[in-house]
């Protein structure tokens, strides 16, 4: 039976418009552009089970907005199609800089400007193009790693990539070092097809995780993930996980670094994602002296602001403790004695306990004798225990 002429004409219009939108997305600098229907997610039950097991940790917004994520048609009743875009942020810089000095590791995605701003600006221009082509009455809404949207689900459905075992989307052409964004439209467009899983028997990403954050393939317990611990977690990092974090101070790339699909990826063309001075393997000791004002100024327009000063300096202390370099002791002692934030002081105490030097013990005892914050005092006592010394007065400072 032949297709009715009007249906054929409609199909050609949706196909042609979809092609033009994707071409414009590419012209705006996106590396991949795909289109999917606005339907309930294929992996909705897996997401719900992930929440039930509390694998989201303190990311309460994930649970709070779960219904909207699982039912986008109710959240955006006018939306018919979702345009998913990917922007490569990989660069040619590697970990070799860590070999010099006392340095930490910042995840590649945070080396340059805040991706939210870069992606949103490009998607805004894409929406303007769509309205110029299809009419100003077209409704549209932009999401860049924010809002109640399962962006990897949308991206996978649009053929951007497939779910890797490390839960990141993987692309044959740009690996996994890319940002995702979505433009929801009130237009019927031709949809793209998903890509089959190409991970096969490989489990390099799962085995490389130093904190064993992967419950199994495709399932991440965020509470153990170094990225979660250094960014999303707002309080003290569990002591048993600190030694496993190495020198990571913001995010972690390990499970992506070992992925075979990231070995021959071309660097990004987006200059905004190239490293700012001091953000690729930054020297750690100077960071401990940053005031709140200096922190805000140094990282203005950077994703690192998300961790806030207290979280970032907490991470710096843990990294210095893991590096065990005696040169860091003077800065850590000053931090222990005078930093305005108890969270930072407590982690400085832990770091001094890891360095295990007589000067560290003396500073811990002296500070502990006048510390009034119970959380910091607990960290000091634990650090002294680590130093294998006998605590005075039955293990408490008075």
């Amino acid at each position: 039976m032949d297709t009715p002429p009007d249906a054929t004409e409609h199909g050609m219009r949706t196909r042609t418009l979809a092609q033009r939108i994707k071409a414009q997305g590419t012209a705006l600098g996106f590396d991949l552009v795909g289109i999917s229907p606005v339907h309930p997610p294929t992996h909705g039950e897996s997401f719900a089970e992930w929440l039930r097991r509390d694998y989201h940790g303190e990311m309460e917004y994930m649970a709070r907005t779960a219904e909207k994520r699982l039912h986008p048609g109710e959240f955006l009743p006018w939306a018919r199609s979702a345009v998913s875009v990917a922007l490569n942020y990989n660069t040619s810089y590697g970990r070799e800089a860590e070999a010099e000095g006392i340095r930490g590791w910042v995840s590649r995605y945070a080396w340059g400007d805040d991706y939210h701003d870069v992606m949103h600006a490009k998607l805004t221009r894409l929406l303007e193009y769509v309205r110029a082509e299809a009419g100003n009455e077209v409704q549209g809404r932009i999401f860049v790693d924010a809002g109640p949207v399962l962006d990897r689900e949308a991206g996978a459905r649009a053929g951007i990539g497939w779910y890797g075992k490390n839960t990141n989307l993987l692309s044959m052409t740009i690996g996994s070092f890319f940002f995702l964004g979505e433009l929801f439209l009130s237009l019927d467009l031709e949809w793209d097809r998903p890509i089959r899983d190409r991970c096969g028997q490989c489990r390099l990403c799962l085995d490389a995780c130093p904190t064993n954050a992967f419950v199994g393939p495709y399932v991440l317990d965020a509470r153990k993930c170094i990225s979660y611990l250094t960014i999303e977690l707002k309080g003290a990092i569990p002591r048993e996980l600190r030694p496993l974090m190495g020198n990571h101070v913001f995010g972690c790339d390990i499970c992506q670094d070992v992925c075979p699909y990231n070995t021959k990826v071309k660097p990004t063309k987006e200059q905004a994602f190239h490293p700012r001075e001091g953000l690729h393997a930054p020297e750690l000791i100077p960071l401990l002296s940053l005031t709140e004002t200096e922190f805000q100024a140094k990282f203005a327009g950077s994703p690192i602001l998300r961790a806030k000063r207290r979280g970032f300096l907490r991470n710096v202390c843990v990294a210095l403790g893991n590096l065990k370099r005696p040169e860091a002791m003077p800065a850590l002692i000053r931090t222990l004695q005078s930093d305005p934030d108890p969270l930072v002081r407590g982690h400085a105490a832990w770091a001094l306990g890891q360095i295990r030097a007589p000067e560290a013990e003396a500073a811990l005892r002296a500070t502990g004798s006048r510390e009034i914050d119970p959380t910091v005092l607990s960290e000091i006592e634990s650090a002294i225990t680590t130093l294998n010394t006998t605590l005075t007065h039955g293990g408490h400072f008075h």
Side-chain angles (χ1 to χ4, degrees), residues 298-310:
K298 181 177 180 65
F299 298 113
S302 164
I304 290 179
L305 287 180
R306 184 174 179 182
K308 298 184 170 52
R309 176 191 180 274
R310 68 192 308 262

Side-chain angles (χ1 to χ4, degrees), residues 20-132:
R20 293 205 304 270
I21 291 173
K22 288 191 285 188
Q24 181 63 19
T26 301
L28 289 170
F30 292 118
D31 295 275
L32 300 171
V33 186
I35 301 174
S36 63
V38 181
H39 289 167
T42 304
H43 301 90
E45 180 52 38
S46 298
F47 173 66
E49 178 64 17
W50 184 76
L51 291 174
R52 284 193 292 269
R53 293 180 178 271
D54 290 328
Y55 289 157
H56 60 299
E58 293 184 3
M59 295 184 289
E60 293 299 330
Y61 62 89
M62 298 292 287
R64 189 172 58 250
T65 60
E67 285 304 308
K68 291 182 178 179
R69 296 173 189 271
L70 293 171
H71 304 285
E74 297 177 15
F75 169 50
L76 300 171
W78 48 264
R80 296 291 178 268
S81 302
V83 180
S84 291
V85 296
L87 185 56
N88 176 19
Y89 64 81
N90 198 13
T91 69
S92 58
Y93 297 84
R95 291 183 178 261
E96 64 278 354
E98 294 175 286
E100 302 176 2
I102 302 176
R103 297 178 179 272
W105 183 255
V106 171
S107 180
R108 284 172 175 78
Y109 86 85
W111 288 353
D113 295 343
D114 194 322
Y115 64 96
H116 296 90
D117 300 332
V118 176
M119 295 279 286
H120 199 281
K122 292 180 183 293
L123 282 169
T124 298
R125 292 171 61 187
L126 184 59
L127 176 57
E128 292 171 351
Y129 171 84
V130 171
R131 285 174 173 161

Side-chain angles (χ1 to χ4, degrees), residues 146 148 228 279 357:
Y228 169 85
L279 280 193

Side-chain angles (χ1 to χ4, degrees), residues 166-246:
N166 62 2
T167 74
N168 288 309
L169 284 195
L170 284 170
S171 163
M172 289 288 290
T173 57
I174 61 173
S176 65
F177 289 113
F178 59 80
F179 299 120
L180 277 173
E182 295 80 38
L183 171 58
F184 284 79
L185 295 169
S186 59
L187 291 173
D188 289 313
L189 298 170
E190 183 181 62
W191 304 325
D192 292 290
R193 294 181 178 180
I195 301 173
R196 69 175 178 86
D197 187 329
R198 297 175 183 268
C199 287
Q201 299 301 310
C202 180
R203 51 177 293 122
L204 289 174
C205 58
L206 308 181
D207 296 335
C209 180
T211 59
N212 293 314
F214 294 105
V215 178
Y218 313 104
V219 183
L220 174 72
D221 184 347
R223 297 170 298 181
K224 295 182 179 180
C225 176
I226 293 175
S227 286
Y228 169 85
L229 295 170
T230 56
I231 303 172
E232 300 292 347
L233 184 66
K234 304 308 178 188
I237 296 171
R239 289 177 191 163
E240 68 273 14
L241 294 178
R242 295 174 195 175
L244 307 177
M245 293 170 56

